[in-house]
Amino acid sequence: MNFSENDVPGERQRQHFKRIVSVAEDSLRIDQYLSAVLPQFSRGFWKKVLTTGSVHVDGRRVSQCSRSVRTGQRVEVFLDGLPLEKHLIDARQVLFEDENLLVLNKPAGLDTQPTPSRFQGTLYQGILDYLGRGKGAGRRPEIGMVQRLDRDTSGVIAFSIHPRAHRSLSEQFRHHKIRKTYLALVSGKLENEQGEFKSNLAKIRAINRVRSVARGGKPALTRYRLVLAAGGVSLVEVELVTGRMHQIRAHFSEAGHPLCGDIRYDGVGRLHGLDIPGQLLHSWKLSLAHPVTGQALDLKAPLPRDWLPLLEACGFPAAMLRNLVASD
């Protein structure tokens, strides 16, 4: 049985290889095995892929090159087309930190949590390394992931990093006590300067999208306010009242105003002569009570500088951009 290869149209090139180990391949090191069955990639490449966490044997992630394969084992490789590097967190990304809570400004193009394609090169891995950096042999970090941002969504994201903070933070998110405000660049000019989208959303696996359904699904409420329209697009402030998967992307697409760069939800991939690498959605503000002290926290992440050329090309005023976009 040969490896099969699947690409996902309209997204970064993703590949999925799978194969059953034959008798002749029994006892080969996993890096040697991969080099033999997929010789178009170098052995050095496979070592990086293994370190990243993209290789699975019988459903379990394998990272050691010295691991041997056995006859009949199922080997799968998931490649997402992203760099095979660790994500390093520095002080400029940290919006708030104490022994209980860590709030970061997540860059776009980074998975929040491990995926079949990787453990290294995720925000989760970066947090583990950051919390362990220079801390000696102290308490092992315990990360509570109660918030998710899509790979191409940037901005404020909060994590509890001590067991005593997990429950409170989770309950705040579960009971919608945290105010989440986003900025989105969407196609066209909105008919109303403010409004809301309310529906039940469900994931439709056949089309790999979330959409509103008449029956079933989960209640979703999205409120919005137009900041400014220019150059055939609208900059919109969005309050995410509920937190369903792809909620903002689905609601604006169904309203006829898909997010710029959101190919999956019918958004344009190029605007004013400029390529858009992913959906232009930014987690701008997060207001919550500290999960241990109860202190009110209002945290904000400026827009990434990557947005600036496109916003300028659309004709947004320079003064407004200075207030929104990160400075060097």
Side-chain angles (χ1 to χ4, degrees), residues 126-310:
I127 293 171
L128 283 176
D129 287 356
Y130 173 78
L131 293 178
R133 199 180 302 159
K135 304 292 195 300
R139 177 179 59 84
R140 178 182 173 85
E142 295 186 45
I143 302 171
M145 300 185 67
V146 295
Q147 186 186 5
R148 303 287 190 270
L149 294 180
D150 293 338
R151 174 188 291 171
D152 289 326
T153 300
S154 56
V156 188
I157 183 169
F159 300 88
S160 57
I161 56 174
H162 193 286
R164 63 173 165 253
H166 294 342
R167 174 179 287 184
S168 173
L169 194 62
S170 296
E171 288 181 349
Q172 287 186 65
F173 274 99
R174 186 181 305 115
H175 298 297
H176 314 304
K177 293 182 178 180
I178 293 178
R179 184 168 185 180
K180 297 166 284 185
T181 307
Y182 290 71
L183 289 174
L185 194 69
V186 305
S187 296
K189 183 177 180 180
L190 296 174
E191 183 177 347
N192 300 312
E193 292 195 355
Q194 61 183 14
E196 66 179 36
F197 305 121
K198 187 175 183 179
S199 70
N200 285 353
L201 292 177
K203 184 173 182 179
I204 311 301
R205 299 192 180 277
I207 58 174
N208 196 26
R209 285 171 55 156
V210 169
R211 71 181 184 192
S212 298
V213 293
R215 296 182 179 180
K218 294 181 179 180
L221 176 58
T222 305
R223 297 191 177 113
Y224 69 85
R225 180 184 69 84
L226 176 66
V227 178
L228 188 66
V233 299
S234 296
L235 184 65
V236 185
E237 181 181 318
V238 184
E239 182 184 354
L240 195 62
V241 181
T242 54
R244 308 305 179 198
M245 178 182 179
H246 295 182
Q247 178 175 322
I248 295 174
R249 299 166 66 183
H251 273 165
F252 277 94
S253 178
E254 291 174 350
H257 299 283
L259 273 62
C260 296
D262 195 358
I263 303 299
R264 181 182 294 186
Y265 286 89
D266 305 320
V268 297
R270 188 173 174 83
L271 193 63
H272 296 290
L274 299 173
D275 290 329
I276 310 173
Q279 77 265 5
L280 293 184
L281 181 62
H282 179 71
S283 174
W284 187 30
K285 299 176 181 178
L286 198 67
S287 298
L288 70 155
H290 188 285
V292 175
T293 68
Q295 175 190 358
L297 299 175
D298 294 300
L299 301 158
K300 182 168 74 171
L303 277 179
R305 292 194 63 82
D306 292 350
W307 286 45
L308 188 56
L310 183 58

